[in-house]
Amino acid sequence: MENELYDYSAIVDRVPIRWPGDARVAFYVGLNVEHYQVDRPATSIFAGTSQLVPDPLNYGWRDYGPRVGFWRTMRTLDRYGLRASVLLNSAVCQHYPRIIEAGRARDWAWLAHGRDNTTFQADMSLDEERAYLADVVGTIERATGRRPRGWMGPALTETFNTPELLAELGLSYVLDWTNDDQPFPLNVPGMYSVPYSVELNDIALFVGQTLSGPDFVRIVRDQLDQLYADSADGGRVMALALHPFVIGQAFRARYLDEALDYVVNHPGVWLTTSDEIAEHYAANQPGETESEPAVRAAG
């Protein structure tokens, strides 16, 4: 099957992206604020009990996020004046309204992130998905007072219809396609992809690879330094993906602080949100390179 959702584009052939203030790297924190169903398996730290109902070991690990880890992480973001781009399960609005209150007070950006992180829409019919997405987006708008502009699916899941259905609802970008260091247009009018990361992601680093806090700091520094070097020929995006039940653990707090201190004090970094990245790119979308029309004509 051919991928008709977006076209191939080599980053070395593109017209340079320019960020506000002549920044070279646009940086945002993708803060996953999620709800998990207590009687369904989901992200686990120990597979041996993941099929049990209830599963206190794994569910309790995840539930640490909204109860404790979120608040510790929020204080760290506050210390650096960083607005989160919240990847929000709509069920959070019902179960943890105190979190919505805190985010509204900080003018955070709210992205739709499905109903909960146990439900994936990958097998839904067109009509089922249309109703599901409308409910998710509407619930978040009513709770936050702001209609989401962006989407990331639970576990980055979509159907082939998702971008078009999101466009119907007035959204303008997705984070699911983690295949680039720059935004790019999808083949749905008005829809874009904004970079997210499954590599620079606390679940992948701390749980998947069992790395240490100092490892995390070094990786964040290395990512920013390399993207800054690459950006000599066009702006780049750096997304830091965080989950409060992982990064919010007490023994990791100092390492998030150290990592953000490096980012915030690095020259040429635009501290922003995914909403603002998408908006700036859409308003200033680079035109074609000289080679692109010829390539399409030849094809």
Side-chain angles (χ1 to χ4, degrees), residues 47-158:
T49 63
S50 62
Q51 299 300 316
L52 299 181
V53 179
D55 175 14
L57 191 162
N58 288 307
Y59 182 84
W61 173 62
R62 296 186 295 264
D63 200 37
Y64 186 86
R67 296 174 67 89
V68 180
F70 170 85
W71 307 100
R72 184 176 288 128
T73 303
M74 182 187 73
R75 286 193 295 271
T76 303
L77 296 178
D78 285 351
R79 195 151 47 243
Y80 292 99
L82 290 171
R83 294 171 59 216
S85 299
V86 181
L87 315 177
L88 185 69
N89 288 164
S90 62
V92 168
C93 303
Q94 172 190 352
H95 293 281
Y96 321 119
R98 185 70 180 82
I99 289 177
I100 304 301
E101 177 185 338
R104 290 187 64 172
R106 289 160 174 78
D107 192 31
W108 285 352
W110 306 98
L111 289 78
H113 186 36
R115 180 176 297 147
D116 56 57
N117 245 50
T118 317
T119 303
F120 304 155
Q121 81 266 24
D123 294 325
M124 292 182 185
S125 70
L126 178 63
D127 289 341
E128 287 172 337
E129 186 179 11
R130 178 179 280 115
Y132 170 78
L133 294 176
D135 177 69
V136 168
V137 170
T139 298
I140 293 173
E141 181 178 21
R142 288 188 296 273
T144 66
R146 182 178 297 170
R147 192 168 184 83
R149 303 182 197 174
W151 163 270
M152 191 180 80
L156 286 75
T157 55
E158 292 189 5

Side-chain angles (χ1 to χ4, degrees), residues 4 12-13 76 99 101 112 118 138 172 182 203 221 229 240 242 283 287:
E4 298 181 354
V12 294
D13 295 334
T76 303
I99 289 177
E101 177 185 338
T118 317
S172 59
Q182 294 180 333
I203 288 182
R221 291 170 63 109
L240 179 59
L242 303 177

Side-chain angles (χ1 to χ4, degrees), residues 6-299:
Y6 55 85
D7 299 328
Y8 172 74
S9 170
I11 198 167
V12 294
D13 295 334
R14 301 174 195 167
V15 174
I17 293 174
R18 303 300 179 199
W19 297 129
D22 294 323
R24 291 174 57 162
V25 178
F27 172 83
Y28 77 93
V29 173
L31 184 63
N32 291 263
V33 180
E34 300 163 338
H35 174 70
Y36 291 85
Q37 296 182 34
V38 72
D39 59 346
R40 297 269 301 279
T43 306
S44 298
I45 196 169
F46 177 60
T49 63
S50 62
Q51 299 300 316
L52 299 181
V53 179
D55 175 14
L57 191 162
N58 288 307
Y59 182 84
W61 173 62
R62 296 186 295 264
D63 200 37
Y64 186 86
R67 296 174 67 89
V68 180
F70 170 85
W71 307 100
R72 184 176 288 128
T73 303
M74 182 187 73
R75 286 193 295 271
T76 303
L77 296 178
D78 285 351
R79 195 151 47 243
Y80 292 99
L82 290 171
R83 294 171 59 216
S85 299
V86 181
L87 315 177
L88 185 69
N89 288 164
S90 62
V92 168
C93 303
Q94 172 190 352
H95 293 281
Y96 321 119
R98 185 70 180 82
I99 289 177
I100 304 301
E101 177 185 338
R104 290 187 64 172
R106 289 160 174 78
D107 192 31
W108 285 352
W110 306 98
L111 289 78
H113 186 36
R115 180 176 297 147
D116 56 57
N117 245 50
T118 317
T119 303
F120 304 155
Q121 81 266 24
D123 294 325
M124 292 182 185
S125 70
L126 178 63
D127 289 341
E128 287 172 337
E129 186 179 11
R130 178 179 280 115
Y132 170 78
L133 294 176
D135 177 69
V136 168
V137 170
T139 298
I140 293 173
E141 181 178 21
R142 288 188 296 273
T144 66
R146 182 178 297 170
R147 192 168 184 83
R149 303 182 197 174
W151 163 270
M152 191 180 80
L156 286 75
T157 55
E158 292 189 5
T159 72
F160 285 110
N161 300 311
T162 302
E164 188 170 357
L165 293 175
L166 292 171
E168 290 178 4
L169 293 168
L171 279 68
S172 59
Y173 71 96
V174 300
L175 301 183
D176 296 324
W177 300 92
T178 60
N179 57 354
D180 216 301
D181 289 334
Q182 294 180 333
F184 62 87
L186 301 180
N187 290 331
V188 173
M191 287 295 293
Y192 299 90
S193 174
V194 170
Y196 182 71
S197 182
V198 290
E199 294 258 8
L200 194 62
N201 185 309
D202 57 0
I203 288 182
L205 296 174
F206 289 125
V207 181
Q209 300 184 43
T210 64
L211 298 183
S212 70
D215 290 332
F216 173 76
V217 176
R218 176 182 53 79
I219 288 168
V220 170
R221 291 170 63 109
D222 289 349
Q223 179 85 347
L224 179 54
D225 289 346
Q226 184 60 54
L227 289 173
Y228 185 85
D230 294 344
S231 67
D233 58 8
R236 299 299 198 263
V237 174
M238 177 174 169
L240 179 59
L242 303 177
H243 300 75
F245 61 92
V246 178
I247 200 64
Q249 296 289 333
F251 66 94
R252 294 191 179 113
R254 61 173 290 188
Y255 301 109
L256 177 60
D257 188 278
E258 290 177 17
L260 292 180
D261 183 73
Y262 186 77
V263 173
V264 167
N265 291 293
H266 195 288
V269 176
W270 177 30
L271 304 173
T272 186
T273 65
S274 56
D275 277 5
E276 291 174 346
I277 292 169
E279 182 179 18
H280 181 86
Y281 180 80
N284 302 275
Q285 186 179 346
E288 297 175 327
T289 66
E290 292 183 359
S291 62
E292 283 176 338
V295 169
R296 279 204 295 273

